[in-house]
Amino acid sequence: MEAGVAPDYFLDSMQMYEVKAVLENLQYKNKTSWEQARMISYIIAQTNSTKQLSPTDIMKFDWDEAKEKDTSISKDDIARLRAKANQFINTKN
């Protein structure tokens, strides 16, 4: 229920890849509230400090770090996926 998904759908109908996606991204549900809290804390800290601060000096979150994934596909991956697709097509015929 916390993720905004109906409990009966989550427990009975949802596929595992959907469950994984929901659980991995659950932390972003309250991102706006956490950003507001950080900005309020930053403003209070900056007005009482002589040093120049940044919001990430006050609180750091997982989404602050840019994570780039390698999305390149090797020729071996292409061949493996092509064979798997052909196998799937052959089983459906």
Side-chain angles (χ1 to χ4, degrees), residues 49-65:
S49 176
T50 57
K51 294 192 297 183
Q52 182 66 33
L53 300 173
S54 70
T56 55
D57 293 337
I58 307 300
M59 289 185 223
K60 292 185 182 183
F61 298 115
D62 291 341
W63 56 79
D64 291 334
E65 300 171 11

Side-chain angles (χ1 to χ4, degrees), residues 26-45:
L26 189 58
Q27 64 180 341
Y28 299 112
K29 181 177 185 241
N30 297 319
K31 182 178 176 180
T32 304
S33 298
W34 281 110
E35 288 289 347
Q36 286 177 337
R38 175 164 54 182
M39 290 308 292
I40 292 169
S41 301
Y42 164 70
I43 291 168
I44 292 169

